[in-house]
């Protein structure tokens, strides 16, 4: 006979939960504060408007804080290539042949030591305006994260704001060599860059210096590891790859001793921003940079500011654990696992088995380090036709994202009011995303912004309800002991024999600590009301320290409903419930 009491319970994990419950609100300053509604395709900043650092006011920050948010991720802060003309401020004009969108990509960095001049009211004092935003953010009891883009820079990279004594990227490179360990870039000696012939920077309009003849000799390797002088229009042709000591064309041989010059330069850039009092970095395409660099640089930067947070944009589940343990990242994107699974459910294409797979396999043992989200600047808007159309599909999915584990959760500006990302903005086509490349106003977000009052004054009744849901969920997530610190226990197996419990569409689990016990139930069906009786097995009751002979009350904290003394539930379509379990008095 096997003693089954010694076998691990298949409905839970042995992970020791860590309280990493950051609640992050991502916003692009260029879009967030823009009040103009013209939205002309390929429009200039004068025509379509652009938000400024100064538009992110104390009332705006307080409204974000009131949603339960702890951290704001300001996207697109560092100066990037653009088609706008700032030459009168001493900033060289970029070449439209190697800029994506009139405003330019925030991920094609032109000067790591400067901020985007578009975001300043007084361009000459742009860094002071950013520093004021940092202070204003902290004064409103929020922390801030900015992007760090380590893998590539704009073709026109040249720092004119670098501190005295700093040697610029590429300044001392030996350009006769395709690869040299101490070079900052990779070269294609004897070849000149040929920009993609099919690239049309501004549609019918002509962009600055647009002539298909951007001069780069020798050609540098393109940011997405394209070792060709003729990158395609689908490549990251506007960027050049940074050299961290990996010889890609020689079986990826590593040359990390002595420490590559690029490592030191990037460390110094991170420390520069840490000294500006930012609280963390979202590291773009972190897996395209050697893990050995992260293992070295993150501790180096934390010597300057120990409580800095490092978030990796990561997409390869096979190396997740490595990027946490060896690479020293605090958090990784959970895009390929939970996001993709929830997206399928929201589109009526998946089942709750996708959620089980995430906690049981993909992030087992380190779920506290996984950042969960349903939207960001790279992904399609929930309310877009390309994704789910109905923003209410986020109600069950966002509840799972926020409460499944003790790691961080994130929302994207406009998500909370159902922004659908409509319109072909220019470089950004009609693709269900809100552009990061063009000057644009975000219509549903602007209704919440209400001319700078940030009071939701122009929202519809449905939008107010949606935003109220996000606010209740995120505040509960931020304050609940069980969600922040609790153990996880899945209830799918306990309920799968009940015909009223459609386990492909309903998902239920427990989160519990000594102080608080929660039962979380969601219904992903768009059209079916379900009426299951939720069963909590005796093993789960024992794990929570509850006696099955006693009676309990269940109070739905998410929907602020009165307590009930049974679990005969009526689950409306696209609904979510967070019940607090308490001993009946």
């Amino acid at each position: 006979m096997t003693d089954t009491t010694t076998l691990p319970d298949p409905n839970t994990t042995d992970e020791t939960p860590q309280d990493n419950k950051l609640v992050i609100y991502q916003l692009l300053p260029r879009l967030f504060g823009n009040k103009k509604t013209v939205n002309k395709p390929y429009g200039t900043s004068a025509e379509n408007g652009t938000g400024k650092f100064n538009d992110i006011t104390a009332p705006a920050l307080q409204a974000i804080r009131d949603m339960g948010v702890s951290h704001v991720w300001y996207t697109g802060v560092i100066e990037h290539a653009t088609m706008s003309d700032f030459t009168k401020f001493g900033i060289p004009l970029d070449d439209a042949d190697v800029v994506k969108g009139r405003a330019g990509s925030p991920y094609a960095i032109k000067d790591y030591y400067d901020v985007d001049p578009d975001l300043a009211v007084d361009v000459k004092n742009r860094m002071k305006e950013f520093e004021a935003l940092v202070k204003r953010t902290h004064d409103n009891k929020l922390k801030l994260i900015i992007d760090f883009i380590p893998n590539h820079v704009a073709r026109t990279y040249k720092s004119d704001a670098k501190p005295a004594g700093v040697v610029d990227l590429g300044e001392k490179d030996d350009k006769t060599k395709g690869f040299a360990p101490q070079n900052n870039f990779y070269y294609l000696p004897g070849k000149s860059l040929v920009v993609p012939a099919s690239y049309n920077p501004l549609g019918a309009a002509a962009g600055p210096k647009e002539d298909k003849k951007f001069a780069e000799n020798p050609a540098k390797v393109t940011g997405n590891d394209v070792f060709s002088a003729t990158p395609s229009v689908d490549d990251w042709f506007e960027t050049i790859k940074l050299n961290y000591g990996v010889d890609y064309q020689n079986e990826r041989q590593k040359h990390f001793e002595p420490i590559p010059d690029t490592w030191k330069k990037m460390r110094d850039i991170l420390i520069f921003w840490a000294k500006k009092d930012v609280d963390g970095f979202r590291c773009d395409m972190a897996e395209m940079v050697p893990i050995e660099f992260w293992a070295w640089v993150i501790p180096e930067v934390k010597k300057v500011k120990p409580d800095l947070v490092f978030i990796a944009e990561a997409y390869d589940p096979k190396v997740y654990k490595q990027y946490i343990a060896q690479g020293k990242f605090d958090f990784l994107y959970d895009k390929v696992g939970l996001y993709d699974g929830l997206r399928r459910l929201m589109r009526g294409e998946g089942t709750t088995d996708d959620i089980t797979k995430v906690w049981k396999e993909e992030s087992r043992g380190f779920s506290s380090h996984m950042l969960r989200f349903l939207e960001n600047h790279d992904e399609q808007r929930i309310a877009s036709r390309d994704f789910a159309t109905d923003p209410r599909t986020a109600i069950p999915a966002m509840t799972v994202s926020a409460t499944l584990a003790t790691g961080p959760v994130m929302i994207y500006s406009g998500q909370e009011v159902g922004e659908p990302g409509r319109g072909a903005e220019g470089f950004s086509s009609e693709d269900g995303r809100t552009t990061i490349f063009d000057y644009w106003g975000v219509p549903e977000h602007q209704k919440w912004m209400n001319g700078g009052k940030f009071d939701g004054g122009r929202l519809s009744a449905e939008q107010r309800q949606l935003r109220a849901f996000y606010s209740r969920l995120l505040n509960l997530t931020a304050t609940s002991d069980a969600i922040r610190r609790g153990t996880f226990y899945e209830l799918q197996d306990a309920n799968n024999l009940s015909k009223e419990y459609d386990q492909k569409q309903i998902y239920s689990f427990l989160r519990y600590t000594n102080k608080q016990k929660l039962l979380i139930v969601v219904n992903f069906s768009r059209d079916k009301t379900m009426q299951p009786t939720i069963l909590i097995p005796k093993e789960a009751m024992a794990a929570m320290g509850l006696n099955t002979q006693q009676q309990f009350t269940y109070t739905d904290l998410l929907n602020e409903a009165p307590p009930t003394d049974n679990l005969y539930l009526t689950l409306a379509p696209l609904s979510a419930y967070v019940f607090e379990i308490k001993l009946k008095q």
Side-chain angles (χ1 to χ4, degrees):
M1 291 283 288
T2 305
D3 181 4
T4 55
T5 58
T6 61
L7 294 174
D9 189 325
N11 300 296
T12 187
T13 75
D14 54 4
E15 181 177 350
T16 303
Q18 299 172 49
D19 181 1
N20 289 334
K21 192 53 81 179
L22 283 57
V23 180
I24 302 171
Y25 186 92
Q26 182 193 6
L27 67 86
L28 270 80
R30 189 207 296 154
L31 299 176
F32 183 83
N34 185 17
K35 302 180 187 75
K36 282 204 174 185
T37 57
V38 175
N39 283 0
K40 172 186 169 185
Y42 295 107
T44 64
S45 59
E47 290 168 327
N48 282 355
T50 182
K52 308 288 185 183
F53 293 132
N54 289 2
D55 292 323
I56 307 167
T57 59
L61 292 164
Q62 210 47 58
I64 292 169
R65 180 85 183 92
D66 288 346
M67 283 186 76
V69 171
S70 60
H71 290 65
V72 186
W73 165 18
Y74 294 125
T75 304
V77 164
I78 298 177
E79 186 186 351
H80 58 265
T82 177
M83 293 190 211
S84 293
D85 187 347
F86 293 102
T87 49
K88 67 181 178 186
F89 302 103
I91 299 170
L93 187 64
D94 290 306
D95 188 317
D97 289 325
V98 287
V99 181
K100 286 181 178 174
R102 192 181 284 275
S105 167
Y107 295 95
I109 297 301
K110 179 177 172 176
D111 187 347
Y112 277 119
Y113 287 103
D114 208 347
V115 296
D116 179 6
D118 260 326
L119 303 181
V121 175
D122 176 3
V123 174
K124 290 195 297 295
N125 286 311
R126 56 193 179 276
M127 187 61 84
K128 285 192 172 65
E129 289 186 25
F130 172 69
E131 289 163 352
L133 174 61
V134 174
K135 183 178 187 303
R136 196 158 59 247
T137 305
H138 290 151
D139 287 348
N140 283 281
K141 299 187 168 52
L142 287 159
K143 293 188 172 181
L144 70 138
I145 294 162
I146 66 167
D147 290 282
F148 173 58
I149 298 89
N151 176 67
H152 49 267
V153 294
R155 294 259 174 210
T156 51
Y157 187 91
K158 188 179 191 312
S159 178
D160 44 35
K162 64 185 188 292
V166 171
V167 176
D168 216 358
L169 285 166
E171 200 176 310
K172 294 192 172 176
D173 279 8
D174 180 350
K175 296 177 186 178
T176 65
K177 293 180 175 165
F179 169 79
Q182 298 299 324
N183 274 0
N184 298 134
F185 299 119
Y186 297 93
Y187 296 92
L188 300 163
K191 295 180 180 176
S192 296
L193 179 74
V194 180
V195 296
S198 61
Y199 181 48
N200 184 5
L202 290 177
K209 304 185 185 179
E210 182 185 348
D211 59 5
K212 306 272 187 255
K213 294 177 183 168
F214 178 74
E216 185 180 280
N217 192 358
K220 299 185 184 84
V221 168
T222 293
N224 58 325
D225 300 355
V226 174
F227 283 72
S228 164
T230 56
S232 82
V233 76
D234 296 321
D235 288 319
W236 305 349
F237 66 85
E238 83 283 19
T239 69
I240 43 181
K241 172 90 174 171
L242 280 161
N243 171 7
Y244 283 81
V246 179
D247 189 351
Y248 282 82
Q249 293 180 295
N250 231 323
E251 298 178 337
R252 296 187 177 232
Q253 283 181 14
K254 297 175 178 179
H255 300 261
F256 298 157
E257 288 181 20
I259 290 172
D261 184 67
T262 302
W263 291 27
K264 295 175 190 170
K265 282 186 164 62
M266 301 316 262
R267 172 200 59 195
D268 294 347
I269 288 158
L270 283 163
I271 288 172
F272 171 84
W273 292 103
K275 287 182 173 176
K276 296 279 180 199
D277 212 15
V278 307
D279 301 292
F281 299 96
R282 176 267 187 193
C283 301
D284 185 68
M285 299 307 296
E287 293 160 322
M288 294 184 79
V289 171
I291 197 166
E292 293 86 348
F293 165 72
W294 298 116
W296 175 80
V297 83
I298 291 175
E300 284 280 299
V301 181
K302 286 191 177 187
K303 287 177 192 170
V304 174
K305 192 172 181 182
D307 56 354
L308 278 168
V309 167
F310 280 83
I311 300 168
E313 180 192 13
Y315 298 109
D316 183 0
K318 293 193 293 295
V319 294
Y320 282 172
K321 196 180 280 189
Q322 198 182 353
Y323 271 77
I324 297 161
Q326 183 189 344
K328 303 283 193 290
F329 273 101
D330 298 291
F331 306 113
L332 313 180
Y333 268 35
D334 194 347
K335 193 276 179 193
V336 173
L338 193 62
Y339 169 88
D340 282 353
L342 291 173
R343 181 183 166 102
R344 286 191 289 272
L345 272 161
M346 293 162 76
R347 288 168 57 85
E349 297 164 355
T351 75
T352 60
D353 294 345
D354 286 335
I355 305 172
T356 303
K357 185 179 192 308
V358 168
W359 72 259
K360 258 194 176 172
E361 298 172 28
E362 279 191 355
S363 56
R364 189 182 187 100
F366 53 88
S367 67
S368 301
H369 296 280
M370 300 307 289
L371 167 65
R372 268 76 193 247
F373 56 84
L374 294 180
E375 281 192 4
N376 64 42
H377 68 279
D378 283 319
E379 307 304 339
Q380 289 170 326
R381 293 288 195 175
I382 295 161
S384 72
R385 290 186 293 266
D386 307 79
F387 187 162
T389 308
D390 185 346
R392 294 176 307 140
T393 57
I395 290 170
M398 197 69 211
T399 302
V400 171
S401 276
T403 64
L404 192 68
T406 62
V409 64
M410 179 171 79
I411 72 165
Y412 182 36
S413 172
Q415 177 182 343
E416 72 276 31
V417 294
E419 171 56 42
R422 281 198 200 101
E425 303 98 335
F427 176 80
S428 197
S429 57
E430 178 85 62
D431 61 359
R433 296 173 178 82
T434 297
T435 181
I436 63 170
F437 304 98
D438 308 278
Y439 298 108
W440 204 250
V442 186
E444 304 312 311
H445 164 73
Q446 287 175 330
K447 292 176 184 175
W448 171 70
M449 183 166 53
N450 194 20
K453 292 179 188 168
F454 299 97
D455 61 0
R458 291 166 46 220
L459 295 176
S460 68
E462 292 81 5
Q463 286 176 310
R464 288 174 195 271
Q465 286 174 350
L466 184 68
R467 195 172 186 282
F469 155 74
Y470 276 98
S471 187
R472 289 194 308 274
L473 175 66
L474 297 179
N475 274 291
L476 179 59
T477 299
T479 55
S480 160
D481 192 66
I483 296 170
R484 292 193 73 103
R485 302 175 185 85
T487 301
F488 166 87
Y489 195 104
E490 188 183 83
L491 297 176
Q492 297 300 86
D493 279 355
N495 289 276
N496 67 2
L497 297 178
S498 160
K499 67 178 189 296
E500 291 83 15
Y501 189 97
D502 178 352
Q503 73 171 82
K504 302 298 184 191
Q505 297 285 302
I506 299 173
Y507 191 71
S508 61
F509 57 98
L510 302 166
R511 295 291 311 282
Y512 60 91
T513 63
N514 290 335
K515 289 184 189 171
Q516 188 182 42
K517 332 288 178 196
L518 297 179
L519 162 66
I520 297 157
V521 187
V522 301
N523 177 12
F524 284 98
S525 173
R526 287 185 179 224
D527 50 20
K528 284 190 192 143
T529 296
M530 314 271 192
Q531 294 187 297
T533 299
I534 302 293
L535 300 173
I536 302 177
K538 62 181 189 299
E539 296 86 354
M541 294 295 281
M544 290 192 288
L546 299 179
N547 182 343
T548 52
Q549 303 306 308
Q550 294 176 303
Q551 290 186 304
F552 301 92
T553 61
Y554 308 92
T555 307
D556 181 5
L557 303 180
L558 180 57
N559 301 296
E560 297 169 345
T564 175
D565 58 5
N566 63 66
L567 288 174
Y568 309 128
L569 303 182
T570 298
L571 310 178
L574 300 178
S575 60
Y577 310 83
V578 179
F579 295 102
E580 185 165 28
I581 306 169
K582 284 192 168 173
L583 197 58
K584 193 169 184 180
Q585 297 301 321

